[in-house]
Amino acid sequence: MAHILFNSCATHHLQIKEGARVSESQKASTHTFYLVGGFGNQTDSINPTLIKKLQSELDSANKNSTLFYLGDNISDKKNNWNNDKKLLDEQLELAENYKGQIRFLLGNNAWKIKHIDSIQNTEEYLDRFEDNNDFVLPNNGCALEFLSINEELDLLLLDSKWFMSNWSKVEGINKKCTDIVTRQRFAQELEGYIKDARGKNLVIAMHHPIF
């Protein structure tokens, strides 16, 4: 069993636990992940060569793949919803011909107005374009979401900002998602999902590294 953590806070070197053994598998890949983060934090135009390369990769990807937008998909400026919608549209346009699954994780910027209804703006806007699945997971202000990708791979999505926030300053937090309303319960659920994935590969995706 392998546990893999994805987060979008920057790291520029390969992170491997001290003493861990690393070996290269000769097995064919059963699922591919594409990671994009901080799209809403851009201060200058994104390198067009980089965008072209990403779009080419996505256009040629098969359905056994997932594109992660790992948070901060909108700007950090308040009362900027028109521009935020344009940023989300640009990210959807990148994946216009993509055959795999698309998942948006919430980061700092989605929580910039400390109210659960505002946090859900991104979710509600994106879900207008998706008929069968939710683009944003976890949704409804929930802490985590578990998905089974295939017989060998599970996916656990965490809203790390939910975990790290001062809840007394976020109006309505836990109002729409009542299954997990304490950090202790969150830890119990997380541990349970990790145990359930025993014997499989488990990918844990989040915006901030909370471990």
Side-chain angles (χ1 to χ4, degrees):
M1 176 177 65
H3 293 165
I4 303 172
L5 302 181
F6 291 161
N7 68 75
S8 68
C9 290
T11 179
H12 301 284
H13 304 284
L14 181 63
Q15 305 295 312
I16 301 174
K17 182 179 179 181
E18 185 177 351
R21 291 184 300 173
V22 180
S23 61
E24 294 187 8
S25 173
Q26 301 302 315
K27 292 183 179 180
S29 173
T30 61
H31 201 86
T32 302
F33 292 99
Y34 299 93
L35 312 179
V36 180
F39 203 95
N41 290 333
Q42 52 185 295
T43 55
D44 300 308
S45 297
I46 299 178
N47 186 330
T49 303
L50 181 62
I51 291 295
K52 186 176 180 179
K53 174 62 176 175
L54 173 60
Q55 192 157 31
S56 175
E57 289 287 336
L58 295 177
D59 288 349
S60 62
N62 63 37
K63 65 179 182 180
N64 296 317
S65 61
T66 300
L67 168 62
F68 276 123
Y69 286 106
L70 289 170
D72 286 353
N73 311 305
I74 60 175
S75 72
D76 60 355
K77 297 180 176 62
K78 296 180 180 179
N79 302 316
N80 198 35
W81 184 234
N82 285 335
N83 183 64
D84 288 343
K85 287 189 290 186
K86 291 179 181 178
L87 289 168
L88 294 172
D89 288 341
E90 288 175 13
Q91 290 163 84
L92 290 175
E93 288 170 6
L94 269 175
E96 186 175 7
N97 299 315
Y98 178 60
K99 303 177 186 67
Q101 295 291 314
I102 303 172
R103 301 298 180 200
F104 286 80
L105 290 174
L106 299 180
N108 290 315
N109 296 353
W111 290 68
K112 59 188 174 184
I113 300 176
K114 299 183 185 301
H115 193 292
I116 190 63
D117 292 335
S118 176
I119 292 167
Q120 289 188 273
N121 281 346
T122 298
E123 175 187 331
E124 292 171 357
Y125 182 75
L126 289 170
D127 283 349
R128 295 167 52 222
F129 301 95
E130 179 56 68
D131 295 329
N132 301 316
N133 298 293
D134 292 313
F135 271 142
V136 179
L137 289 175
N139 57 18
N140 292 322
C142 294
L144 54 80
E145 184 79 26
F146 180 84
L147 299 173
S148 181
I149 300 295
N150 55 45
E151 293 182 354
E152 298 179 351
L153 177 63
D154 288 336
L155 176 61
L156 188 55
L157 305 170
L158 310 181
D159 188 342
S160 54
K161 187 62 176 178
W162 174 93
F163 183 85
M164 299 174 66
S165 291
N166 182 341
W167 292 357
S168 64
K169 295 184 178 180
V170 182
E171 185 176 347
I173 193 168
N174 298 325
K175 178 179 70 174
K176 297 185 178 182
C177 191
T178 57
D179 293 338
I180 302 174
V181 295
T182 67
R183 291 180 177 86
Q184 181 180 8
R185 180 62 180 154
F186 169 84
Q188 292 170 344
E189 285 289 301
L190 178 61
E191 182 180 1
Y193 281 126
I194 292 174
K195 288 181 178 178
D196 289 344
R198 188 176 290 125
K200 301 178 69 174
N201 294 307
L202 176 64
V203 170
I204 303 176
M206 70 196 88
H207 182 69
H208 310 84
I210 63 174
F211 300 110

